[in-house]
Amino acid sequence: GYIWSRSNPLLLKSAIVGTGADTFCAVFPQNDYAGRYNTKFAYFDSSILIDKPHNMYLGAGVGTGCVSLLALLALFGMYLVQTFRLLWKRELGSDFLNYAAAAIFLSVSGFLCAGLVNDSSVSVMPMFYSLLGAGIAVNLLLKARDANAAAK
């Protein structure tokens, strides 16, 4: 809570452009000793350096700007809505594409939910974006197959 409460004002300062990649540590108010003490941060070392927002979306908003964060959220939202509409009331059956779309949807959804309380890891992000791209490709294949089946 302490880190998030100090990170939200940083979003206003970085609304358009952002502060730069991996600059959260430099722009975070590290000298707020009273705030740390009042939020039970005093149980830890008060001179600890806070370098991550512990929220993937706050980190993206501060680092690259709120415009970039909105574009990222729009990409995630479009994928989730598109996949949900494609898979709603669809029988998985024995079709590989249906299973792949459902598995990728669940894994991307799980990672996006975990991003609320955990910042992104360099080792996991390539796999996440690969899955997101594969999910978009599977959705396009399912749409094309549905359009061909409707045309017949």
Side-chain angles (χ1 to χ4, degrees):
Y2 167 75
I3 297 173
W4 290 357
S5 69
R6 301 309 186 265
S7 300
N8 286 332
L10 295 176
L11 285 175
L12 296 175
K13 293 179 183 176
S14 62
I16 303 294
V17 179
T19 59
D22 292 331
T23 58
F24 184 82
C25 181
V27 298
F28 188 81
Q30 301 289 349
N31 57 358
D32 183 22
Y33 298 111
R36 290 181 185 201
Y37 182 76
N38 288 333
T39 57
K40 306 293 188 221
F41 214 86
Y43 294 120
F44 305 103
D45 186 10
S46 63
S47 64
I48 193 168
L49 190 67
I50 297 172
D51 60 344
K52 296 181 192 284
H54 298 288
N55 185 317
M56 182 174 73
Y57 308 108
L58 275 176
V62 171
T64 59
C66 291
V67 174
S68 170
L69 176 63
L70 289 176
L72 191 65
L73 290 175
L75 172 70
F76 295 155
M78 287 188 301
Y79 167 73
L80 292 174
V81 168
Q82 178 187 43
T83 307
F84 187 77
R85 285 183 179 170
L86 276 172
L87 294 178
W88 183 251
K89 294 184 181 178
R90 181 184 290 246
E91 294 227 5
L92 293 179
S94 62
D95 186 24
F96 174 75
L97 281 180
N98 289 336
Y99 279 116
I104 293 171
F105 175 75
L106 291 174
S107 60
V108 167
S109 300
F111 184 81
L112 292 176
C113 289
L116 291 171
V117 293
N118 192 9
D119 47 352
S120 60
S121 172
V122 175
S123 61
V124 177
M125 292 309 284
M127 183 177 61
F128 167 71
Y129 283 111
S130 297
L131 277 174
L132 183 65
I136 292 170
V138 167
N139 286 351
L140 291 174
L141 289 172
L142 284 174
K143 277 186 172 180
R145 189 175 68 185
D146 290 347
N148 287 340
K152 288 183 181 182

